[in-house]
Each structure stands twice: as C-alpha cells, then as structure tokens.
Amino acid sequence: MKTFRGLLPVLVLAAVAVAGCGQQASPPVATATASASVPVTTVPPDGTVTPPAPTPTSTSMTTSPAKSWTTFTTADGQLAFDHPAGWSVRDPAGELPEGGGAFAEVTNEAGKPLATLRTNMATGSTCTEKYPFTEFESQQLPALAQAGTVPRFVFETRGNSSAPGPANTPAAAYGITVSAAPTGDLACPIFQFFTWPPTAAMFGAFYNPDNNATPGAENLPYLEQARKYMDTTEYQDIRRMITSLRPAG
C-alpha cells in the first residue's frame, strides 16, 4: 500500500504563505472541565486512621512519562510551545513570507521531523470529493481562540483499504484545525489550519512511518500503523507539545 511521505501537515488545494488579512470564522465551541471530590478521612473509636483510597479523575487524554521539557518561543516572538529537552527546533526552517511570521520545524533526538509550525499563511480548499474517515482523538485549545472560534487538536485519517483517500493514498495527520468534526461516514480531505493573525497558521504533520517510529508495526497497513503510533511515548509527547501552543508572554 502506498503511503504518504510528505511533511506538511495538511492536504489542501492552495496553501501559499503571503501577507494579508485573514477572515475570522464561526462561533465558539463549548468546553468542559472535570472535577474531583475531596476524600475524607474518618477516625474510628480505637484511634486507628486508615487513609481513603485516592479518587481517580477522568481526562480525555493521557500524558507521557515525566521527563525534562523546555519552552520554545518563535523568532517573531508571537507564539510559544513546550517540547522535550532532547528535541530540536529550527527557526526559521525556510523562507518566510513577505510580512514575516514563523516557520519552525521540530525534530526528535534522531533528527527526524515530527511537526512544522507556520504562521502568516493564506489558505483555501474546495471539497469536491469525500472519503471514509476516522478521528482518533480531539481536544479543544482555548488559548488559541480567535474571534470566538476555538481550534482543536486532532489526529485523523482519510481513506481505507477499500476506498483510498486523495490520490489513492490513505492519509493520517495530527495537528490543529478549526474545521468541525465530520459527521456521517465520509469527510472532505484533511485540512489542518487555524486562524491566527494576520491570516492563518498550522502546527502538525502527516503521519510518516519513515519519521514516526512505531515499533512492532512495520508490517501493518499504513492506517493500522498510524493507530498503533498513538500508543507510543513519542506520539504522547507530540500531542503534549502541539496542545501547549499559546501566545507568547
């Protein structure tokens, strides 16, 4: 099965970095917070205290094991995110558009690219065909809200073995989007961009087995490898990094 080999985290018909004013989008999406009760310790007549068992809390996403993390701020001073101290960030990672912006590439200890952050981009897409899809997970990012629109982190796929995605290539990608979650059985091609002044931005990547090491999945079909990648510490670190993106300062 043919697999995607590019780094850019989106499938679009037009994504050209230029200066200009971006259109602000739709109403906010409500978020929910979890709460936990406070355990109470009781003292029986004999004076022996038995601490209560801890009350578990529910979260939508797990976190990776504790390790050393550091904060990176883009060269233009506009955005910041956290990443494992052993990873590297190159900024700028290429030519910046007229009017400036950010263009940073994150690589792991082995030098494999894991995500790209770009701002000041003009974007556009036309949905002429839809494909089978899966959303592995989704998380709202209120720190990046613009004009009432709350972006979300998503890991999603298009296509399958019987109904390939765009260009006959099943695709899986993780990143930030303002697109609403698809409904029904089919979805437009992956379009992972979010509103960020003066136009739009992206932070993520396509799942690429050459870069995203997935032990034990080498002989599995591409989309099954992508699903198994979610269980790796590297993916959990990527998710924590991308969802930490915020205005600097």
Side-chain angles (χ1 to χ4, degrees):
M1 179 179 293
K2 181 180 177 183
T3 59
F4 191 88
R5 290 293 184 268
L7 173 64
L8 291 181
V10 285
L11 288 176
V12 296
L13 296 184
V16 183
V18 296
C21 296
Q23 182 177 1
Q24 304 298 322
S26 50
V29 179
T31 60
T33 58
S35 61
S37 59
V38 178
V40 177
T41 301
T42 58
V43 181
D46 62 4
T48 302
V49 177
T50 302
T55 302
T57 58
S58 173
T59 61
S60 59
M61 293 187 176
T62 59
T63 57
S64 57
K67 63 174 64 177
S68 177
W69 284 67
T70 187
T71 299
F72 174 82
T73 301
T74 56
D76 64 357
Q78 298 300 305
L79 290 166
F81 60 87
D82 305 325
H83 65 86
W87 293 3
S88 301
V89 184
R90 184 165 62 102
D91 181 11
E95 184 177 354
L96 294 174
E98 182 180 352
F103 185 2
E105 181 184 69
V106 182
T107 56
N108 62 13
E109 293 90 342
K112 299 289 188 179
L114 299 179
T116 298
L117 168 64
R118 294 198 69 172
T119 65
N120 196 15
M121 302 187 70
T123 65
S125 69
T126 302
C127 184
T128 59
E129 190 171 358
K130 294 187 176 183
Y131 310 92
F133 76 94
T134 299
E135 277 201 359
F136 291 144
E137 57 184 355
S138 174
Q139 177 182 342
Q140 290 185 323
L141 306 177
L144 300 176
Q146 293 289 316
T149 298
V150 180
R152 61 195 182 100
F153 168 83
V154 65
F155 190 10
E156 57 187 332
T157 71
R158 295 294 185 274
N160 56 36
S161 57
S162 60
N168 297 318
T169 304
Y174 49 79
I176 302 175
T177 182
V178 289
S179 299
T183 58
D185 299 324
L186 302 174
C188 296
I190 293 174
F191 190 77
Q192 291 183 350
F193 285 95
F194 62 100
T195 304
W196 190 255
T199 49
M202 66 182 189
F203 191 20
F206 272 103
Y207 169 76
N208 183 340
D210 291 339
N211 297 326
N212 307 104
T214 312
E218 295 82 2
N219 297 322
L220 295 176
Y222 171 78
L223 293 180
E224 292 184 33
Q225 291 187 52
R227 173 61 185 86
K228 192 173 180 64
Y229 186 60
M230 290 181 62
D231 300 328
T232 66
T233 298
E234 183 175 85
Y235 171 74
Q236 294 167 15
D237 288 341
I238 290 172
R239 181 184 62 201
R240 176 177 167 182
M241 174 183 71
I242 294 176
T243 59
S244 75
L245 187 68
R246 58 197 181 272

